[in-house]
């Protein structure tokens, strides 16, 4: 049938399921959600509803897969919507005769297709006359996605554009990849040339493997050194009080040069000088806390840390054990020896 300059395909009652239900909902959309509970059908079915009275709805169940075959058989490219006979003939007052010889009739608000044996066909009308009745509005369902859409020139053009863009991207990726491979090959060739080894020799493979191991070891040493730099080791210098100066014999007044030896010095003793009547004493030996020694022997890092405070030593040992899993720690008096691999 045609309505509002659109062609609508009307489905017979044999192509869907229908029932009336009393539902306490506010809209037809909400009523359709109860379709799965009202019908004992599989998951392929969809549901629509139409309000007939207050809190009373006519719910229809249809299978899009089955209807798609029906729509393809109609082969009418102008059809964009479909309607159920329940919606088209829900207000008929006389039976509608179908081309098959059966009749559409309204029984308790449900449009049914029935044989003439079971109804009074007097006063019936033809299907064409029933469909020609003017209608201002008809509830319909779109058929998008139920049948293959017609391939148009615009669709082909857009598809071609997308394919060309995709092909261009693949080509660009291929060119960039080829250039990068060429650069890597050139660098590899330069390394092989500098190594003065045949490309197929075992020595070349051993050299490459050795370089990789050396690089890995250097990276590990840098990481360990960074962790060591983050240790909270406070360095400080402890200066003991200076020793008392020995009593000095009388000295000879300085010469014109201002420097003289102290009389009474014995062989083997440290030389002491008087500069401008001021004695010079040996340098005082200093003692401090912090990292005393830090070295790398090719296999690991060796470190000696001075810490006079016992609590500080214990805290430092715990910190080192937490940060370095394979640390070996030995304690000697106020010193901590640490070996890190």
């Amino acid at each position: 049938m045609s309505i509002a300059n659109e062609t609508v395909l009307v489905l017979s009652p044999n192509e869907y399921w229908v029932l009336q239900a009393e539902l306490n909902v506010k809209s037809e959309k909400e009523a359709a959600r109860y379709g799965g509970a009202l019908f004992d059908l599989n998951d392929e079915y969809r549901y629509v509803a139409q309000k007939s009275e207050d809190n009373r709805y006519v719910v229809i169940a249809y299978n899009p897969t089955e209807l798609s075959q029906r729509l393809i058989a109609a082969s009418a490219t102008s059809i964009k919507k479909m309607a159920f006979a329940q919606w088209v003939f829900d207000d008929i007052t006389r039976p509608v005769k179908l081309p098959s010889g059966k009749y559409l009739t309204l029984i308790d608000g449900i449009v049914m297709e029935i044989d003439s044996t079971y109804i009074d066909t007097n006063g019936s009308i033809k299907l064409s006359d029933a469909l020609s009745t003017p209608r201002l509005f008809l509830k319909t369902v779109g058929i998008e996605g139920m049948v293959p859409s017609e391939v148009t020139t615009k669709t082909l053009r857009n598809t071609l554009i997308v394919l060309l863009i995709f092909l261009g991207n693949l080509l660009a990726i291929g060119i960039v990849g080829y250039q990068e491979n060429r650069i890597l090959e050139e660098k590899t060739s330069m390394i092989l040339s500098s190594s003065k080894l045949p490309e197929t020799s075992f020595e070349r493979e051993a050299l490459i493997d050795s370089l990789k191991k050396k690089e890995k070891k250097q990276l590990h040493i840098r990481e360990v050194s960074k962790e060591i730099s983050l240790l909270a080791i406070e360095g400080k210098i402890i200066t003991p009080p200076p020793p008392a100066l020995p009593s000095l014999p009388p000295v000879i007044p300085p010469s014109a040069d201002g420097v003289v030896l102290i009389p009474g010095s014995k062989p083997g003793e440290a030389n002491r000088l008087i500069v401008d009547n001021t004695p010079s004493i040996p340098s005082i030996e200093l003692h401090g806390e912090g990292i005393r020694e830090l070295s790398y022997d090719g296999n690991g890092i060796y470190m000696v840390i001075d810490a006079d405070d016992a609590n500080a030593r214990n805290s430092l040992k715990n910190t080192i054990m937490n940060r370095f899993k394979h640390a070996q720690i030995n304690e000697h008096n106020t010193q901590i020896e640490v070996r890190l691999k």
Side-chain angles (χ1 to χ4, degrees), residues 258-311:
V259 178
V260 296
L261 288 175
I262 295 177
S265 297
K266 298 179 180 180
E269 292 182 347
N271 291 327
R272 291 181 293 175
L273 302 179
I274 289 183
V275 179
D276 294 333
N277 290 325
T278 301
S280 172
I281 61 175
S283 299
I284 300 174
E285 182 179 358
L286 301 180
H287 176 67
E289 292 186 358
I291 298 179
R292 173 182 290 271
E293 180 180 349
L294 180 65
S295 60
Y296 175 68
D297 60 2
N299 295 318
I301 293 178
Y302 175 74
M303 181 168 52
V304 178
I305 305 173
D306 284 334
D308 290 340
D309 185 69
N311 294 330

Side-chain angles (χ1 to χ4, degrees), residues 1-8 81 134-138 140:
M1 68 177 296
S2 297
I3 181 172
N5 297 325
E6 290 185 341
T7 300
V8 179
K81 297 179 180 179
R135 289 177 177 271
L136 297 177
F137 173 77
L138 176 65
T140 58

Side-chain angles (χ1 to χ4, degrees), residues 182-201 203-212 215:
R182 290 287 298 174
I183 294 174
L184 290 176
E185 290 177 357
E186 291 176 359
K187 289 183 178 180
T188 304
S189 178
M190 293 176 59
I191 294 174
L192 293 177
S193 299
S194 62
S195 65
K196 299 180 181 180
L197 293 174
E199 294 186 1
T200 57
S201 67
E203 290 82 357
R204 178 178 63 84
E205 299 295 336
L207 177 61
I208 294 175
D209 185 62
S210 175
L211 292 175
K212 289 181 178 179
E215 182 180 2

Side-chain angles (χ1 to χ4, degrees), residues 48-105:
V48 290
Q50 186 177 36
K51 188 173 184 179
S52 57
E53 300 176 11
D54 290 341
N55 294 335
R56 194 164 184 81
Y57 295 85
V58 177
V59 185
I60 294 176
Y62 66 96
N63 190 327
T65 304
E66 295 177 357
L67 292 184
S68 64
Q69 303 300 324
R70 172 79 168 83
L71 295 171
I72 293 174
S75 64
T77 57
S78 60
I79 296 177
K80 303 299 180 183
K81 297 179 180 179
M82 67 179 185
F84 303 96
Q86 178 66 37
W87 295 346
V88 179
F89 303 103
D90 61 347
D91 59 351
I92 59 173
T93 56
R94 293 181 292 176
V96 177
K97 186 176 182 180
L98 301 175
S100 63
K102 294 186 178 182
Y103 290 83
L104 292 179
T105 186

Side-chain angles (χ1 to χ4, degrees), residues 15 33 43 82 88 103 142 165 180 213 236 288 294 336:
E15 295 173 315
R33 295 175 182 172
D43 295 337
M82 67 179 185
V88 179
Y103 290 83
I165 294 174
E180 291 179 350
K213 290 181 178 179
K236 56 183 177 180
L294 180 65
I336 302 175

